[in-house]
Amino acid sequence: MSEKKKKRITIKVGTRVLTDKSNRIDQRIIKSLADQVSDLMDDGIEVIIVTSGAIGAGLGLLTLQKKGRSLSEMQAIASIGQNHLMDIYNRYFNKRGYNTGQILLTQEDFSNRRRFLNIRYTLNTLLKYRAVPIINENDSVSTEEIKCGDNDRLSSLVADLADSDMLIILTDVEGLLDSEGRVIPVVESVTGSIKSFCRGKGCEESTGGMTTKLEAVKNATQAGVQSVIASGRKNNIIVDIVRGKKTGTSFRAQKKTLKARKRWIAFGSKTKGSIVVDTGAETALVVKKKSLLPSGVVGVKGKFTDGDVVDILGEGKKGIIAKGLSNYSSEEIEAIKGKKSSEIESELGYKDYDEVVHRDNLVIIEG
Ligand code: GLU
């Protein structure tokens, strides 16, 4: 690989890599991961781990099956499994002289800009202490509404937030396979045709399938992070990838076209509602690169407050045309929609901004 020396790497480890058939954590795998990461750290490379396996490990310890479990049962199971998982990681890293630091996150931590920036400070500080940040979704409090989605997505958000040079997604397949079942060594950019390769094993839509991995890789590469999907059960895989050996599927980093703040709007945050705009406003946003003014708004969906990220929808059109940070709440926009900016004050009794969404806080989503 290495055109440039990699300094900071985010590694995502999937449940299927970590557990055996009876959902027991395979300690040899964690030992091998810890040894490989420690070897890299001995060379001055910083590593962040995003690990799955809490629910799997919890089920294994309690000898339970996943099917038919309630949300509170799954949350309790994850809590037991997470402890066990961290215990094993910590033990093997300690043997190599490194500390670990656990960070459990939900989508809220990404959607709230201040919390998002806090995660970055904490990660940087852990790395400064030469500790290994080990991140998972906070499954014990996560419900559908506040979930990050899946750990593939979580790892791409972390890789971007931490300004990683590389994201390695370790799974139980060798990489992205073509229609003949051969590993595709290099992907220039994640397009629809690449996604169509996703067939057979590991391609299911559910958590952990290749579809979520390709979405994650798309986000990461657009954020300028080179990404690799490879088998986590292959001997010395992490070290091999970092040292430039061709293994798994490597996805080229794209030129960063969006600034960090805009990437956070586009990929990191979850939208709370939507603003529907007329065709004139759509042209102003997409073609003329203008801000969204109240005059172009025809409707509001959902409830949100000022400072929330919202979808911007075209009137009578399918799909999202943009995402942006709203200057006004859904109620306020309901009151000022279709009005001129000069009328905002008389409608609301105050005016904080002329724009509903300022250009600087707006990202056009390509269809
Ligand atoms: N957070 C889940 C766990 O640790 C895994 C979710 C995922 O792999 O996408 O069990």
Side-chain angles (χ1 to χ4, degrees), residues 12-16 18 51-58 66 74 78 81-82 85 135-139 147 149-154 206-209 212-213:
K12 187 258 169 175
V13 194
T15 302
R16 280 181 262 183
L18 294 172
T51 189
S52 298
I55 294 174
K66 191 171 180 179
M74 293 304 284
Q82 179 66 26
L85 193 60
I135 301 175
N136 194 0
E137 170 120 33
N138 194 350
D139 294 307
K147 255 186 173 314
D150 56 79
N151 274 8
D152 295 322
R153 175 167 187 272
L154 178 62
S206 66
T207 303
T212 60
K213 286 179 182 49

Side-chain angles (χ1 to χ4, degrees), residues 38-82:
S38 300
D39 287 347
L40 296 178
M41 291 176 66
D42 291 347
D43 273 357
I45 296 172
E46 296 171 331
V47 182
I48 299 167
I49 295 179
V50 176
T51 189
S52 298
I55 294 174
L59 289 168
L61 285 175
L62 297 167
T63 58
L64 294 174
Q65 295 298 314
K66 191 171 180 179
K67 217 167 156 233
R69 300 272 151 223
S70 68
L71 177 65
S72 55
E73 283 176 316
M74 293 304 284
Q75 292 178 326
I77 289 165
S79 155
I80 293 169
Q82 179 66 26

Side-chain angles (χ1 to χ4, degrees), residues 42-320:
D42 291 347
D43 273 357
I45 296 172
E46 296 171 331
V47 182
I48 299 167
I49 295 179
V50 176
T51 189
S52 298
I55 294 174
L59 289 168
L61 285 175
L62 297 167
T63 58
L64 294 174
Q65 295 298 314
K66 191 171 180 179
K67 217 167 156 233
R69 300 272 151 223
S70 68
L71 177 65
S72 55
E73 283 176 316
M74 293 304 284
Q75 292 178 326
I77 289 165
S79 155
I80 293 169
Q82 179 66 26
N83 243 8
H84 179 59
L85 193 60
M86 278 310 293
D87 185 39
I88 304 171
Y89 272 112
N90 204 38
R91 186 165 356 116
Y92 288 118
F93 274 111
N94 284 172
K95 282 201 173 129
R96 292 287 304 257
Y98 291 106
N99 289 310
T100 60
Q102 173 183 258
I103 306 182
L104 299 177
L105 300 171
T106 64
Q107 179 58 47
E108 284 294 300
D109 300 312
F110 287 94
S111 293
N112 178 302
R113 184 86 185 150
R114 190 168 300 154
R115 272 154 81 167
F116 173 89
L117 295 174
N118 264 334
I119 304 169
R120 179 181 294 163
Y121 291 134
T122 309
L123 276 177
N124 284 334
T125 310
L126 279 168
L127 293 171
K128 193 181 80 190
Y129 292 154
R130 297 193 31 84
V132 189
I134 302 188
I135 301 175
N136 194 0
E137 170 120 33
N138 194 350
D139 294 307
S140 300
V141 302
S142 275
T143 53
E144 273 318 309
E145 306 81 71
I146 63 166
K147 255 186 173 314
C148 293
D150 56 79
N151 274 8
D152 295 322
R153 175 167 187 272
L154 178 62
S155 69
S156 69
L157 294 175
V158 168
D160 183 13
L161 166 145
D163 216 0
S164 303
D165 297 300
M166 186 184 236
L167 168 66
I168 302 175
I169 297 185
L170 295 179
T171 182
D172 62 344
V173 286
E174 300 279 317
L176 182 66
L177 307 181
D178 66 13
S179 48
E180 312 286 304
R182 290 171 306 216
V183 175
I184 303 172
V186 180
V187 173
E188 293 298 329
S189 110
V190 181
T191 56
S193 61
I194 282 298
K195 286 189 188 162
S196 71
F197 278 122
C198 188
R199 282 192 216 107
K201 190 164 182 247
C203 284
E204 68 282 16
E205 295 284 337
S206 66
T207 303
M210 196 53 86
T211 317
T212 60
K213 286 179 182 49
L214 289 178
E215 271 313 312
V217 161
K218 188 171 173 196
N219 288 352
T221 49
Q222 282 182 355
V225 183
Q226 186 199 349
S227 305
V228 179
I229 299 179
S231 165
R233 290 190 168 260
K234 238 180 169 170
N235 225 0
N236 219 32
I237 185 78
I238 303 172
V239 173
D240 281 351
I241 293 170
V242 175
R243 301 258 155 87
K245 198 168 159 194
K246 305 258 174 293
T247 177
T249 305
S250 178
F251 299 78
R252 273 208 218 294
Q254 308 294 302
K255 219 170 137 249
K256 287 190 206 182
T257 47
L258 292 176
K259 289 209 162 70
R261 183 180 170 78
K262 290 210 173 188
R263 288 202 307 277
W264 171 74
I265 292 173
F267 312 121
S269 58
K270 243 192 191 150
T271 49
K272 295 273 173 74
S274 20
I275 300 175
V276 187
V277 302
D278 63 20
T279 46
E282 187 177 333
T283 313
L285 299 182
V286 179
V287 184
K288 298 187 188 149
K289 316 269 178 242
K290 293 263 170 48
S291 297
L292 176 64
L293 302 176
S295 56
V297 177
V298 294
V300 190
K301 292 182 183 169
K303 278 219 172 313
F304 51 87
T305 60
D306 56 316
D308 280 342
V309 176
V310 295
D311 291 324
I312 298 176
L313 311 173
E315 198 179 11
K317 235 184 138 181
K318 268 206 194 125
I320 302 162

